[in-house]
Amino acid sequence: MGKMMRFYSILGWLAVAYMAALFLYPLLKVVYTSVWVNGGFTLGNYVKIFSTDLYSKVLLKTLWVSVLSTLIALFIGYTLAYFIATRPAHKQGFWLMLIISPMFMSLTIRLFGWMILLSKEGPLARVWEGAFGGGELSLLFSQTAVVIGIVHFVLPFVVLNIYTSLNRLEPSLLEASTMLGASRLRTFWQITFPLSLPGVFAGSSIAFALAASTFLVPIMVGGPADTLLANMAYNSIVTIGNLGMGAALSFVLLVIIVAVLLVMGRLERRGHIAS
Amino acid sequence: MKAFNSKRNNKKGISLLSLLLASVLTVLAGCSSAGESTQDSGGQESGGGQPAASEIVVSTFGGKYDEVFTVYVKEPFEKANPGVTVKLAPYTGVAKLAQGGGASIDVVSLDDFDLIEAANRGLLAPLSKDAFSSWDKLYPQAFLNGTDGQTYGLVNVFGAWGIAYNPEKVDKPESWNDLWKPEVKGKVALMSQWIPDILLTAKATGATYDNMEPVWEAYRKITPSVAQYYSSFSAPESLFGTGEVVMAAWFDGRAYALKSASKPVDFTIPKEGGVLIRSGMGVLKDSKNKELAQKLIDFCMTPEVQKGFAQELYYGPTNTTVELDQELQQIVVYGQEKVEALITPDWNEILPKREEWLTKWTEATAQ
């Protein structure tokens, strides 16, 4: 037993070493790049981010788009997860596969699919025209398209997390609730939903982190004004060649995501205690 | 978890911690010394080209360009130089090169401004006239010089930046200002963070390098009616294909390739002029095979290769001795007159302003 323990703790420390070398070190390098400009220490890049209209606007837009996409993904994801969790056990695997299957394909290809769907001469626009006539429906290259793309991208992660906590639910609790005379709706809101909260928080943490750092979606389906923070960082490093500014933007984005995740983590733990 | 914590005594913790530290340090030391050693060997061997090292790695632009490059450059070059293998590497930009991402590459293909930027950052080796048989036959626009006046790259293909349009939906645009016309509102694409677009807008609005305000004003005005600021040269293909745009700032080669695939697209140079698009090749400073690298670039300047690029990709030749068919001559950038009619940006003057311009551009367009 003791030997096994030692084996596992060595393995654990190796994992820590791996993280330190391949995650912590590059991260520190990013911070270093953002404050060490032309051989001297400066907070200039950060001052510029928070004092320039442009950067604060993009920062707020990034947060807004990520929060909105996370909420939409949560709503759709919960419905899907609930649907799957209430199917007969032997059929659940099939539905889960269906949800995960898009992830086997590159996001670029899937976004090209959305470009066709949303374009002015695409199927959605045709249906719209047929139903309401007249006015041209133009969804592509807009914030709506970006939100649609992000929701599509993060949905499987949300569904899997919520499904896992719904699946762990004790059926006897639901039976007890029904036997004590609660309606199905009341059982859902008082028993099922509170008990699935850990999955909701875990799912939304992942969804938010992915949404806030998305880079490809705005480039492919976004309009002229839909640049998000990750795109700004990319442009600043690759097109403009200002490594310091790109690093500072990336770090600000990271700090915001971590702050949101910490709040989510606290909520999730509270959810655990409640259960 | 509890058992795990209580069993772990302090001594063991410290020894493990030191093990961790040691392993991290080893990894870091390994990284940095590896980096140094490659640089050292690069420095030592750069003097004389080694005939034994017979592989030459060239980064290219991918896609159809790679196919043409393989047929017209790689295969005949290998045939002409027995024992030499030409290996194509993915496109590698300046940011990556500056971070040591070009360690295994000998020859880089870059747009003119990136090549000059790389040269001014000290990443490239100057080219020597003696190593090139075609040096005196090239257009003056084919030489990419750094701020020090030395030549660091040769342009192997010319293109023209102008306006592509759908002739079934709109009239042939005459002026750059036609992109601002109300008829095409919401159906125009311009390129994101792209200096040639900025230069043509400057020309159309009468702005000067000292006062670029009219350009940003124009961008503020046009942005609401732009469908997309696209980020990759290939993006307009799908935009025209799905009918999402009817007019776009684009370059001749891609537009004519789409037209020859019988799509409703045509290309024109507005009356303000077009911008000469140049893609060049340079030798990395750390290449261990500089002689062969220059030989490969020289090979790309021969009429046979350049004719191939003109026929397959509608790129203009940079060698004055290339003869093209009458029909092709009309389309591609061909002949002194056509080359000189296009604006050749002075990148050594523009590059120092680039960060300011692109920041202003982003401010004007992120509304």
Side-chain angles (χ1 to χ4, degrees):
Chain A
M1 200 50 196
K3 241 181 199 167
M4 273 318 263
M5 268 317 171
R6 198 175 310 154
F7 173 71
Y8 281 124
S9 61
I10 289 178
L11 218 57
W13 280 110
L14 278 178
V16 173
Y18 176 86
M19 281 295 277
L22 295 170
F23 175 72
L24 214 56
Y25 172 70
L27 183 64
L28 290 175
K29 185 91 193 280
V30 168
V31 178
Y32 173 81
T33 312
S34 69
V35 293
W36 197 261
V37 181
N38 298 329
F41 175 82
T42 168
L43 286 176
N45 284 326
Y46 291 96
V47 172
K48 211 165 153 194
I49 290 177
F50 290 105
S51 63
T52 315
D53 234 22
L54 169 69
Y55 294 115
S56 13
K57 229 170 19 190
V58 173
L59 193 65
L60 284 176
K61 200 176 351 176
T62 307
L63 286 178
W64 160 244
V65 167
S66 342
V67 169
L68 187 67
S69 325
T70 306
L71 288 177
I72 297 175
L74 268 186
F75 180 74
I76 304 178
Y78 202 101
T79 324
L80 278 171
Y82 191 82
F83 173 81
I84 297 172
T86 50
R87 291 309 95 187
H90 67 278
K91 283 191 179 151
Q92 293 184 2
F94 164 77
W95 288 106
L96 282 175
M97 267 318 275
L98 209 61
I99 298 287
I100 303 170
S101 59
M103 290 165 78
F104 296 141
M105 208 188 279
S106 138
L107 183 62
T108 321
I109 310 288
R110 288 186 273 152
L111 287 175
F112 267 118
W114 277 109
M115 283 175 83
I116 295 170
L117 275 177
L118 299 177
S119 72
K120 282 193 181 100
E121 289 168 10
L124 271 182
R126 293 245 169 88
V127 171
W128 179 271
E129 220 172 300
F132 303 100
E136 208 171 40
L137 177 74
S138 183
L139 287 173
L140 194 54
F141 306 135
S142 64
Q143 203 175 52
T144 320
V146 174
V147 172
I148 291 176
I150 294 177
V151 167
H152 163 91
F153 170 45
V154 303
L155 197 60
F157 300 96
V158 176
V159 173
L160 283 183
N161 273 292
I162 299 178
Y163 167 80
T164 314
S165 42
L166 283 176
N167 212 28
R168 273 205 307 250
L169 213 72
E170 273 305 327
S172 55
L173 289 173
L174 302 180
E175 280 166 29
S177 167
T178 326
M179 265 193 286
L180 291 170
S183 67
R184 285 182 68 174
L185 199 66
R186 187 153 174 221
T187 305
F188 174 81
W189 282 115
Q190 293 210 321
I191 313 286
T192 312
F193 186 69
L195 287 178
S196 67
L197 276 179
V200 171
F201 288 127
S204 42
S205 305
I206 297 177
F208 179 81
L210 288 175
S213 59
T214 181
F215 164 76
L216 200 57
V217 183
I219 280 194
M220 289 188 64
V221 299
D226 291 318
T227 309
L228 298 187
L229 212 56
N231 305 99
M232 289 285 254
Y234 175 88
N235 284 341
S236 148
I237 291 171
V238 175
T239 322
I240 300 177
N242 187 342
L243 277 179
M245 194 63 197
L249 283 167
S250 313
F251 192 63
V252 167
L253 183 62
L254 180 82
V255 168
I256 292 172
I257 294 178
V258 168
V260 172
L261 292 192
L262 283 178
V263 173
M264 291 285 203
R266 179 154 287 190
L267 288 171
E268 190 188 346
R269 235 167 293 139
R270 213 175 269 174
H272 271 302
I273 292 163
S275 68
Chain B
M1 257 333 220
K2 242 181 195 166
F4 183 89
N5 281 333
S6 62
K7 280 215 172 152
R8 201 195 73 185
N9 63 38
N10 263 342
K11 248 186 196 166
K12 212 180 272 171
I14 290 171
S15 69
L16 277 172
L17 200 63
S18 49
L19 182 78
L20 158 80
L21 266 179
S23 59
V24 171
L25 287 177
T26 333
V27 171
L28 293 186
C31 289
S32 60
S33 70
E36 275 159 27
S37 70
T38 44
Q39 264 173 2
D40 281 354
S41 57
Q44 281 160 11
E45 289 169 39
S46 62
Q50 280 188 331
S54 57
E55 186 182 76
I56 188 122
V57 182
V58 49
S59 75
T60 52
F61 296 103
K64 187 87 196 284
Y65 187 94
D66 279 13
E67 288 169 30
V68 178
F69 196 89
T70 305
V71 175
Y72 288 91
V73 181
K74 176 185 151 71
E75 285 165 3
F77 187 74
E78 283 172 349
K79 203 179 262 177
N81 299 276
V84 172
T85 0
V86 178
K87 210 175 132 200
L88 270 61
Y91 175 79
T92 311
V94 182
K96 197 169 168 190
L97 290 174
Q99 299 294 309
S104 61
I105 300 173
D106 299 296
V107 176
V108 279
S109 307
L110 291 169
D111 286 317
D112 52 356
F113 52 89
D114 276 338
L115 200 136
I116 291 169
E117 162 103 10
N120 290 342
R121 284 208 206 176
L123 300 168
L124 301 181
L127 303 177
S128 55
K129 187 180 169 179
D130 310 334
F132 292 87
S133 62
S134 48
W135 194 276
D136 294 322
K137 296 173 192 147
L138 302 178
Y139 289 103
Q141 285 83 351
F143 296 91
L144 301 175
N145 300 337
T147 38
D148 58 4
Q150 294 204 71
T151 300
Y152 287 89
L154 291 182
V155 176
N156 60 321
V157 288
F158 282 146
W161 192 260
I163 301 176
Y165 62 101
N166 182 339
E168 290 174 5
K169 302 268 173 72
V170 285
D171 298 336
K172 182 177 176 176
E174 301 290 329
S175 153
W176 188 254
N177 283 317
D178 286 357
L179 291 166
W180 276 249
K181 276 199 306 197
E183 296 98 281
V184 293
K185 193 176 163 143
K187 294 180 173 176
V188 173
L190 297 170
M191 193 157 168
S192 173
Q193 311 222 325
W194 186 234
I195 302 280
D197 275 358
I198 293 176
L199 291 179
L200 287 175
T201 311
K203 202 128 189 244
T205 56
T208 60
Y209 286 5
D210 298 323
N211 177 22
M212 292 290 278
E213 195 42 48
V215 174
W216 317 132
E217 188 53 45
Y219 268 107
R220 270 191 285 274
K221 224 172 87 191
I222 195 182
T223 295
S225 61
V226 169
Q228 195 191 29
Y229 288 111
Y230 63 90
S231 323
S232 120
F233 275 157
S234 58
E237 277 166 28
S238 61
L239 294 176
F240 277 111
T242 57
E244 206 58 34
V245 304
V246 295
M247 232 186 244
W250 208 15
F251 76 94
D252 55 353
R254 294 269 184 165
Y256 287 124
L258 198 60
K259 187 184 177 187
S260 72
S262 50
K263 291 272 163 47
V265 173
D266 216 335
F267 180 84
T268 182
I269 303 280
K271 68 167 193 249
E272 290 83 4
V275 175
L276 186 65
I277 299 292
R278 302 179 290 179
S279 124
M281 302 171 85
V283 180
L284 282 179
K285 206 174 81 185
D286 292 337
S287 163
K288 290 167 196 137
N289 222 337
K290 294 200 175 66
E291 250 169 62
L292 195 57
Q294 298 194 84
K295 207 168 164 186
L296 180 77
I297 297 180
D298 192 32
F299 190 77
C300 292
M301 304 299 146
T302 55
E304 295 76 32
V305 175
Q306 299 215 332
K307 203 171 164 185
F309 273 87
Q311 283 164 349
E312 305 280 342
L313 294 168
Y314 305 104
Y315 286 138
T318 62
N319 186 326
T320 52
T321 63
V322 177
E323 303 269 355
L324 294 182
D325 302 341
Q326 200 63 34
E327 200 184 334
L328 212 51
Q329 283 186 20
Q330 301 299 318
I331 310 179
V332 305
V333 179
Y334 180 82
Q336 196 176 355
E337 201 180 322
K338 256 181 160 175
V339 173
E340 277 174 6
L342 295 167
I343 304 164
T344 308
D346 179 356
W347 290 109
N348 283 316
E349 194 189 348
I350 295 171
L351 284 176
K353 302 179 202 288
R354 180 161 71 160
E355 180 165 1
E356 188 202 328
W357 283 10
L358 294 185
T359 310
K360 288 267 189 205
W361 182 89
T362 315
E363 278 172 1
T365 55
Q367 292 168 340

